Structure formats: C-alpha cells, structure tokens
Amino acid sequence: MRIVETKDLTKIFTTRQKKGNIIALDSVSLGVDQGEVFGLLGPNGAGKTTLVKTLMGLTSITSGDALVNGLPPGNPGSRQQVGFLPENPRFPSHLTGRALLVFSGRLSGVSDDDINSRLKPLLVLVGMERWADTKVSKYSKGMTQRIGVAQALIGDPDIVFLDEPTDGIDPIGKLEIRGVLEKIRDQGKTVFLNSHLLSEVEAIADRVAILSRGKLVRVGTVDELTVHENQYEIEADIGNERIVIPEEIGQRVSITAKSMTVSLVKPENINKVIDELRLRRINIWSVKPVKQSLEQSFFEAVTEGPEQTA
Amino acid sequence: MNGILADTLVELKERKIVYLFAFATVLALLVIFAGDKLGDEFNMNMGDLEGQGVADGFVASAMANGFSIFMTILIFLAAMATAGLIPAMLEKGRSEFYLARPLSRTRLLLSRVFSIWLIYGLLIMACGLVALAFSAMLLGFAEGRIVWLFAVYWLNFLIWFSIICLGGLLFRSASGAIMLAFMVWLLRKVPGLLDWANQVVDWKSIQWTRDIIYYLVPDSSGMGDVAVALAVGQPVTNWMPLWHSTLVAVAMLLVAVWVFKRRDY
Ligand SMILES: Nc1ncnc2c1ncn2[C@@H]1O[C@H](COP(=O)(O)OP(=O)(O)OP(=O)(O)O)[C@@H](O)[C@H]1O
Ligand SMILES: [Mg+2]
C-alpha cells in the first residue's frame, strides 16, 4: 500500500503584495511506499516544507489530492501513527526534554504506560539522556533537532516526516542522526525526509524526488537518478587503435589507450560496440554504466527545471 | 484532554505571572485589614446602637462590592496573562507541534481554551478564597453567599477570554488580542452614550443602534451587579447581562474555531 500519495497537488499562496500569488506546489504527483526512505530534495524555496505541511494538514490544498494512510489530510485520522519533525522547531519553552516527549505522546493519543516505556530508549537513541531534564529553551540547535526526532517517534509511528532533521547538527551528529534513520527504517517504518543535503539523502534514501520551483522534476531510486542514460565506460586495451562508432549506434564521448566512454542511442547498442572491439581482437576488461553524482543530477534537474510562472 | 490540561498547569507554574496574582492578593488583604480597622472605629462611634443585624448587612454589602472590585482586577490580570498563550501556540515552528496530531482543530482549540479558563480561573478563585478566608478571620463571620460572586466572575473570565482568544487567533499576537478586548470594552460604553443622545433627539435609529451594540457586546458591569446581588442575597433585578454575555462568549468561541480551521499554519 502507498502510505503517502498525491495527485496533481497544487498549493498557491495568495499574497497581498504586487508580486501576485506564489505557486509553492505545482501539480505534484508522487507516491511513497510503506517501509521506504523517501528523500525529497530541492533548493531553497522549492516547496519541500510546503509539501510536508499540506500532507500534515497544516496548510490547505488549493487543488489536487493528497492521501496519508489512505485519508485526506483534513481528516485527523490520517495523522494516526504519524510522526513529524517540523523545520526549525520551536518547542514549548516551559518543558524539559523529557516532559516534551511525554506531552508529544499524549497529544498523539499514546497511553502513559507506552510513553513511559518508550522514553528511555528514545532518549538513548537520539543521544539526549544527559539533557533530558534540561529545559528545551536552553537547548542548542542540534539538541533541539535531536529531541525533535525523538518527539516524532514517541508514538511509535508507521511513518515519520522529517523536515531538515540534520539542520544545525555537527558532522558527527549528522552521522548519528543518519544511524537513527537507518534504525527507524530497519524497524520497517517509512521515512519521508526533506533535505537539501545531497550526500545525506544519497546515503540513506531508497527513492528520491527532486522538487524545483514547486514542480516535481525527477523521481526515482538513487541509482536511477545517478545513472547517465545509455552512457558506458569500457575498460579495454585500446592502445592507439582508431575506433569509429557509426551515428546510428551512438557516439564516442572520450577515449584513451586504456578506456573509452560511449553514449549510445539505445542500451542494446553496447553489444555492437563490444562486437566491434572484439573484431579487432581488443581485450575488454570491464563495461559499466557511467554514474553521475547525485549532485550533478540534482544540478541538471534543477537548472533545466521549468520557469516559474506567477 | 490529550495532556493539554496538564501542560497548561505546568506552563502556569513556570510563569512569573503567578507572583503578580500573589501581589494583588496581598494588596487586597491590606485593604481588608484597613477596612476592618475603619469599621471598628465606625462601630465605636455608633456605639453599636442599631443592632448587629444592620451592621452585618452593611458589612456584607461592603464586602460584596469590595470583592467585586478585587475580582475585576484579577480578571484583568488573567486576561493580560493569557493573551499571549494562543498566539504562542501558532508561532512558526511551534504550531506544527500542536497541529500535526490525530486531533481535530476544533478539539485542540477548545481543549486549550477550556484548560486555560479552568486553570487561570482556579487561580483567580484561589486568590479570592484567600482574601475571603482572611476577611472571615478578621470579621469573625463568613458570608457563604459570596461564592456566588466568585462563580459569576469565573464566567466573566470565560467571556473575556473568548474575546482574547479570538483576537489572538486573528492577529497572532498578544497585543492584538489585548487590543480587541480593549475595543470591546470601549464599545460597551457606547450604549450609555447613545442613551444620553436619545434624550436629546428621540430618533428610532439611535435606539436601534444602541440595542444592537448592547446585545453584541458582553456586559461586564451588568454581570457585576448580578454577582453583588447574589452575594448579598438580594433578588436579581436583571439576569439579562449574564445570559447575553454568555451567548456572546459562545459565539466568539465559535468564530474562533471557524477562523482556526480555515487558516494555514
Ligand atoms: N505561508 C506562506 N505564505 C506565502 N508564501 C509562502 C508561505 N510559505 C511558503 N511560501 C512560499 O512558498 C515557496 C516554497 O517554500 P518552502 O518553505 O516550501 O520551500 P522549501 O523547499 O522548504 O525551502 P527551504 O529549503 O529553504 O526550507 C517559497 O517561495 C515561499 O516563499
Ligand atoms: Mg523547507
């Protein structure tokens, strides 16, 4: 079952300024499967936060549909078994970390027994047991984020939405949070991760969507997004052999004595290239698809993204 | 109540505002003490000629009026103290904490409103009861009916808090909330002015406007009269202020819920 599903989800903010309306989400259609880590990438102002807020019922939908747990966000039932860490959280300052978790659990309808049994392991998980009895108003940014992850998990949710969870966390803390996310995933929970940190998403997301100016420009597994379509690198003893590839097959991107990169019209054509090399009795050592870094892919997706019309 | 009631209590405990209430109560105790001393002087001069009954009646009425003023001050304090609570919930980064829950917004808001009304109302009652106990100790008798006065003022607090709550939702700031309450309080003065105008020029339209404003705005002073009458055991001449003010409060809360459900946070 798809735990999150949107269809042509559109959100337009009406502003009083002359600039006119802001199209924060423009016909976004996506689905998130149970148990996967879904990374939503996009530059600042792309609409990532807006998307999560509409899914959480915080922001109304202008047009299109959204379903969380099979229910529209207007229905409080859609937020049953859902955890949420907002962007730049500011938790009630009169609470300690521990009291925050208790209150968060109660707001989500968790029984006090369940809350009490989950408190300690959660505090340990996010590395906050030392600070549990300190007021959240005294927390540093990173500590706030950590307790924020814990409060999102107190209800033992099926899905957690995390909006920039490592924002303000130091490099070691980032690794720790990544470890937390992996643990959550290993428990079979779904993670919806908003981020502009490509490496973070690349390391843990099963699937990635790229949002740019409110439009979904790419969706796929990390592999799918990082593979250069139909480009292959062939490691072979080419030496100074002159190899010409007919136009209907593809073209040579680069060549050295030891390797050659080709861009093909269709993937099957790789066999024709191999045939050609073998015909010349050239030893082939490896053939592999060319990978682009997620960063390159992201950059391409975002720059070729549609122009904003507002 | 999904922990909201308990949280409102914890929040109150953490706030310095409690000291302000304590301070107001201490002031009230001083006034009662001074009043008692004055009363002794008065009794001495009168030589207790007219009998205990009359003196008691006089004291009861003075007490009811005194407590009425004290309660008004407490409600004013409570209104100021609570004006920021709803806007604070709606701040960016915090609203998500409350709203992204399996709770309807109606339930969330009403739970919070009810918790605030209950807990700050109890605080007001506690201050009132301390003052009452103190005066009973000094005067050597307790007027149980004064509890009615407390009850009416607790309701009065709900009425003002409903305005504060609506203001807080509309303007998302404590000052906005206080401003709306202040406007309503000013509007309350308009019917009196129109009554006066009506004596000069007898226009139907003035009468109409006066009536509309009268019923749209809660009538705190009218409620105060009801409270005092109940406290001294006199028949209440006009219950209307109580009923229509309560209705206004309910309407305000309904509008608040309506606004709350429609907003993006
Ligand atoms: N309440 C609002 N009123 C008007 N415009 C808004 C509102 N919230 C967001 N926007 C606009 O919607 C667009 C998307 O914003 P959003 O916060 O969703 O971006 P984001 O992808 O989360 O960015 P970031 O990476 O900086 O967090 C921006 O142009 C923003 O100005
Ligand atoms: Mg954001």
Side-chain angles (χ1 to χ4, degrees):
Chain A
M1 188 196 99
R2 306 220 105 172
I3 193 158
V4 175
E5 193 146 29
T6 72
K7 190 157 184 302
D8 296 327
L9 183 63
T10 300
K11 173 66 190 181
I12 299 174
F13 287 108
T14 45
T15 54
R16 287 188 199 99
Q17 289 120 24
K18 281 237 170 66
K19 278 190 304 178
N21 298 340
I22 296 169
I23 306 176
L25 294 174
D26 191 354
S27 287
V28 174
S29 302
L30 58 79
V32 177
D33 291 317
Q34 196 114 43
E36 73 175 340
V37 177
F38 187 85
L40 185 61
L41 282 169
N44 293 129
K48 304 181 295 293
T49 298
T50 306
L51 178 58
V52 171
K53 280 190 170 186
T54 57
L55 294 176
M56 292 290 94
L58 287 156
T59 297
S60 62
I61 292 170
T62 307
S63 68
D65 294 302
L67 293 176
V68 177
N69 284 321
L71 295 169
N75 184 334
S78 69
R79 288 182 290 284
Q80 207 85 51
Q81 301 300 312
V82 170
F84 178 39
L85 169 66
E87 181 177 45
N88 300 320
R90 295 186 52 198
F91 298 118
S93 50
H94 59 277
L95 297 175
T96 62
R98 193 188 306 278
L100 177 77
L101 299 191
V102 172
F103 187 31
S104 176
R106 287 180 180 164
L107 278 173
S108 287
V110 183
S111 73
D112 280 3
D113 285 346
D114 284 344
I115 293 174
N116 288 332
S117 66
R118 286 172 199 161
L119 262 180
K120 186 118 199 291
L122 262 183
L123 286 166
V124 173
L125 182 72
V126 297
M128 285 295 288
E129 68 276 41
R130 263 184 64 205
W131 305 99
D133 297 307
T134 305
K135 288 269 175 61
V136 293
S137 55
K138 303 249 156 54
Y139 283 179
S140 70
K141 191 152 191 227
M143 286 154 81
T144 306
Q145 291 290 79
R146 286 162 187 255
I147 206 74
V149 171
Q151 64 83 35
L153 293 173
I154 189 82
D156 192 25
D158 295 333
I159 181 167
V160 270
F161 292 84
L162 306 169
D163 198 347
E164 317 271 2
T166 55
D167 195 30
I169 292 189
D170 58 53
I172 297 174
K174 279 197 169 100
L175 280 178
E176 284 173 11
I177 292 285
R178 189 186 294 170
V180 171
L181 297 188
E182 278 161 2
K183 271 188 204 150
I184 304 173
R185 179 191 53 197
D186 295 344
Q187 288 168 12
K189 297 186 194 309
T190 313
V191 179
F192 192 113
L193 178 67
N194 266 11
S195 181
H196 41 223
L197 289 179
L198 300 158
S199 55
E200 175 176 297
V201 171
E202 192 166 12
I204 99 150
D206 299 312
R207 249 163 18 99
V208 177
I210 298 176
L211 204 58
S212 174
R213 293 172 189 160
K215 283 205 161 123
L216 202 62
V217 286
R218 300 268 162 96
V219 197
T221 61
V222 173
D223 278 343
E224 281 163 6
L225 291 196
T226 51
V227 169
H228 242 314
E229 262 180 69
N230 303 343
Q231 269 198 26
Y232 294 88
E233 189 187 344
I234 303 163
E235 212 186 328
D237 296 330
I238 298 168
N240 46 18
E241 197 79 49
R242 262 181 55 81
I243 297 169
V244 181
I245 297 172
E247 233 174 71
E248 66 271 19
I249 292 179
Q251 66 186 77
R252 213 178 60 200
V253 177
S254 67
I255 190 162
T256 65
K258 293 230 173 270
S259 80
M260 174 169 84
T261 304
V262 290
S263 178
L264 304 172
V265 175
K266 51 183 187 199
E268 303 88 279
N269 288 357
I270 187 67
N271 295 311
K272 296 194 174 136
V273 176
I274 292 170
D275 289 346
E276 173 70 19
L277 293 177
R278 290 302 299 141
L279 207 66
R280 294 163 187 244
R281 302 194 168 278
I282 292 173
N283 289 323
I284 297 175
W285 302 111
S286 76
V287 177
K288 53 184 185 231
V290 172
K291 282 224 172 191
Q292 189 179 30
S293 69
L294 187 58
E295 198 171 350
Q296 273 171 307
S297 170
F298 177 76
F299 186 75
E300 269 183 33
V302 168
T303 46
E304 77 198 21
E307 282 303 307
Q308 194 168 22
T309 46
Chain B
M1 295 269 278
N2 291 79
I4 293 172
L5 182 62
D7 181 66
T8 305
L9 185 61
V10 173
E11 182 186 46
L12 172 64
K13 276 198 227 144
E14 292 297 328
R15 296 183 73 189
K16 307 246 176 343
I17 205 89
V18 197
Y19 297 113
L20 210 56
F21 283 87
F23 179 68
T25 309
V26 170
L27 281 186
L29 298 188
L30 286 175
V31 170
I32 293 169
F33 186 70
D36 180 52
K37 282 276 160 287
L38 275 177
D40 284 353
E41 212 107 303
F42 178 79
N43 276 347
M44 250 159 11
N45 291 344
M46 298 298 282
D48 237 1
L49 285 176
E50 276 140 294
Q52 198 59 31
V54 178
D56 274 1
F58 175 76
V59 172
S61 157
M63 245 173 86
N65 282 297
F67 269 96
S68 182
I69 294 169
F70 181 43
M71 282 288 144
T72 305
I73 293 170
L74 288 176
I75 285 183
F76 176 76
L77 279 183
M80 292 290 155
T82 52
L85 295 182
I86 300 281
M89 273 177 83
L90 307 176
E91 274 173 28
K92 216 176 165 196
R94 187 168 302 171
S95 60
E96 292 92 330
F97 177 76
Y98 292 98
L99 290 167
R101 305 287 173 182
L103 282 176
S104 70
R105 287 197 186 181
T106 308
R107 189 161 156 205
L108 181 70
L109 184 67
L110 292 182
S111 298
R112 181 71 166 151
V113 166
F114 180 75
S115 299
I116 292 171
W117 173 63
L118 193 69
I119 284 170
Y120 287 77
L122 280 174
L123 179 66
I124 295 172
M125 293 306 114
C127 295
L129 285 176
V130 167
L132 183 63
F134 183 73
S135 54
M137 222 166 63
L138 277 185
L139 303 172
F141 83 102
E143 184 59 81
R145 274 192 299 250
I146 211 119
V147 173
W148 282 110
L149 181 136
F150 290 180
V152 172
Y153 273 96
W154 199 344
L155 183 65
N156 201 354
F157 174 51
L158 178 66
I159 289 156
W160 283 99
F161 185 65
S162 67
I163 298 166
I164 292 269
C165 169
L166 179 61
L169 277 170
L170 287 176
F171 306 115
R172 296 195 194 182
S173 73
S175 47
I178 292 170
M179 200 86 87
L180 183 71
F182 183 63
M183 296 302 243
V184 170
W185 182 79
L186 279 183
L187 210 55
R188 179 78 259 153
K189 307 285 167 212
V190 173
L193 288 176
L194 290 180
D195 274 343
W196 176 80
N198 216 18
Q199 283 170 1
V200 186
V201 282
D202 187 19
W203 289 346
K204 267 266 170 307
S205 54
I206 293 184
Q207 186 62 35
W208 270 74
T209 321
R210 181 221 171 267
D211 285 352
I212 290 171
I213 295 176
Y214 179 82
Y215 288 107
L216 276 182
V217 181
D219 183 0
S220 276
S221 67
M223 283 182 74
D225 295 342
V226 172
V228 171
L230 287 172
V232 295
Q234 275 167 6
V236 175
T237 45
N238 186 9
W239 284 100
M240 197 42 144
L242 200 78
W243 301 135
H244 98 257
S245 301
T246 308
L247 273 181
V248 171
V250 171
M252 292 268 180
L253 287 177
L254 288 178
V255 175
V257 166
W258 185 80
V259 170
F260 190 49
K261 285 183 86 111
R262 256 150 204 81
R263 285 273 174 93
D264 284 350
Y265 291 100

